[in-house]
Amino acid sequence: MPAAATAPIVESAVARVERLASESAVVVFSVSSCCMCHAVKRLFCGMGVHPTVHELDLDPRGRELERALARLLGYGPAGAPVVPAVVPVVFIGGKLVGAMDRVMAAHINGSLVPLLKEAGALWL
Amino acid sequence: LQPAATAYYGELEEALIHGTCTSIDPSMIGSDVDTECKNKTAFSTTPLSFNPNLNHLREGLLSLPPFPQHHRERAVEKTFNSICMYAAAGYLAARPPTLEIFPSWPMNHLQQPYSVSTGSISSFTGNSHSVGSTTDSSSGQNAMPQAELVSPGSMRADSGQQQEVLMVTVDDYNYEEGLGAAATTAPIFQQHTADQDRRKHGSTRKEGKLLDAKTERRLAQNREAARKSRLRKKAYVQQLETSRIRLQQIEQELHGARSQGLFPGGGSASGDMSSGAMMFDMEYARWLEDDSKHMIELQGALQAQIMDANLVGIVEECMRHYDELFHLRAMLARADVFHLMTGLWATAAERCFLWMGGFRPSEIIKMLIPQLDPLTEQQTLGMCNLQRSSEQTEEALAQGLQQLHQSLAEAVGTSPLSDGANVANYTALMALALDRLDTLESFYRQRVLPSVTFPLKLPIMQADNLRQQTLHHMRRLLTTRQAARCFLSVGEYHRRLRALSSVWASRPRESFVAAAENVSPSGTAAEQAVHPYHQSQFSGL
């Protein structure tokens, strides 16, 4: 994403994450080669939801975003640059849902669908 | 001619003694003596696998070039006999689990060695050349034995006594005896050929003269001896059969005990298990024992119609027990994901229905819903929603695993350098690998293997997570009694799969006698061809 020409305000990674997360009803931070990211994308598509996907490996600031996500998820701030399996990270309605296991648990206990409806990602 | 045959037999014998097998190309065994050198080069030693090569051996023996009678008789008798002995010994020594000494000798083939040997023997009493000429053509080699059996008429042309010998031969040896004959010792074999010789001579004399008393007595004694030895052979084969079955049973038990972890240090026959796998197998065996105890408790508590406070406790205990299993499985996924995924910890029938290393939640729910009658509307809705969401999640996980398969297939199938090496690098690396296998091995261990096993455990662990979530949610949807019935049904379902596996594993193997009798319809045709008198008996019916 190109910086503004006039005032080069560098957005912090966390702020960027939060901004991106609130831009759509369902936002998934992913890595294109990650199989669990693929699974979560398929899950949403199977439910008729079309999430906005940000592939971190295709983003020039991807590493920073990944670290920010790790911190949001509660991993130690002094963690290694590559935290094992941070992605996929799902936001619904701007709010953090979590990684694959959280999304799955939410779906099984029936709380995912109301959340999606509330965010406007699902009708019916 | 004889040295060639003796040499040939000698080599066969030697090869069998040394436990190697020879792939004998029958078409190369020509009656042309000049191809003796070719015969020798036809031998190639391959790793031990007797079954196909016994066929070769038989074919080789059947396609013998003709020899003068006395040489042939002795050579055939002695060598065939000793070869069969060594074959049997080799089988017993090298492959104890399967005493399949005569695996591929269906009925018609089995009778050929005897009929061929005796037929050939008798064929040389008269016209050695006429028969010899038919077998000189290498193309007709293998057709010779069949010709002898199927069209005795051609033999009849040579000499009247030959056909009778053939018929007597086939008549005397049913399948079992034929089997046993080769496995028994030399004297019996020789006894039979001697019997056949005597019978042959006796039958010719029947045509014209009276038999003198001495000959008659001798014939009777021979018949008696023949009968006795046939019985002995039958008993021996029976003994072999039961030993084989017993051996298989023991093997099964051993394997079963090993897979349950009851045999420490049991590096299973299928390869060495990692320590993580072995530990899991042991813990899982204990888990299964506790599981069956819980099942009994559940059943007892359910049958007591009143709502027992105990039941709540038992159901909670069952839930906790499953949580413990998922914990064990998570540890196994980190230690040895392949063991978990391929279901080596499970029995055969369970393995058949494995989904991502375990049960498929939506299937279990589908199975349980009808068993839980009566359900309230809310419960029904909840269970159906659970089934649907489970199906969706299962589908997503399966697709995730599939994507992983694809990327791993690329990584494993192509260049070992993970950063997309070009062909030159790859060739260089391979050249290096050819000289330094340890380099390649360490590369695989440090780079390739982790990149395979690390991501693989992710979908598997998520699948286990799904199973756990599903069970917990189901528990919340249902009453205690209904939940108890669920746990009981799930436990019973898996117990039945395990029972099915053990019944399957201990199924009686068909004896190869019975199996072979069902095998070749052509055998009956061959039989009928040489039993025209049988047919005439039934023609009036």
Side-chain angles (χ1 to χ4, degrees), chain B residues 477-490:
Chain B
L477 281 176
L478 303 172
T479 67
T480 307
R481 187 160 279 267
Q482 287 166 332
R485 298 221 304 265
C486 280
F487 281 121
L488 199 57
S489 292
V490 173

Side-chain angles (χ1 to χ4, degrees), chain B residues 245-287:
Chain B
I245 291 171
R246 181 79 193 112
L247 204 54
Q248 277 172 341
Q249 285 172 352
I250 293 174
E251 224 189 4
Q252 290 298 337
E253 282 170 13
L254 196 62
H255 186 67
R258 274 216 187 110
S259 67
Q260 289 193 8
L262 298 175
F263 270 42
S268 59
S270 54
D272 12 28
M273 289 202 286
S274 65
S275 63
M278 268 174 17
M279 257 174 27
F280 176 83
D281 283 0
M282 288 194 303
E283 308 257 5
Y284 182 61
R286 209 177 322 134
W287 189 91

Side-chain angles (χ1 to χ4, degrees), chain A residues 32-36 38-39 42-43 46-47 84 100-101 104-105 107-109, chain B residues 386 389-390 392-393 396-397 399-400 403-404 458-459 462 465-466 469 473 476:
Chain A
S32 55
S33 58
C34 167
C35 63
M36 283 296 99
H38 185 75
R42 301 305 312 167
L43 179 63
M47 294 166 67
M100 180 65 184
D101 50 352
M104 206 162 63
H107 192 36
I108 290 301
N109 69 26
Chain B
L386 181 63
S389 50
S390 182
Q392 286 170 342
T393 317
L397 285 178
Q399 298 212 7
Q403 198 227 29
L404 187 60
L458 295 175
Q462 292 298 346
N465 193 11
L466 176 65
Q469 298 287 337
H473 189 66
R476 286 193 291 268

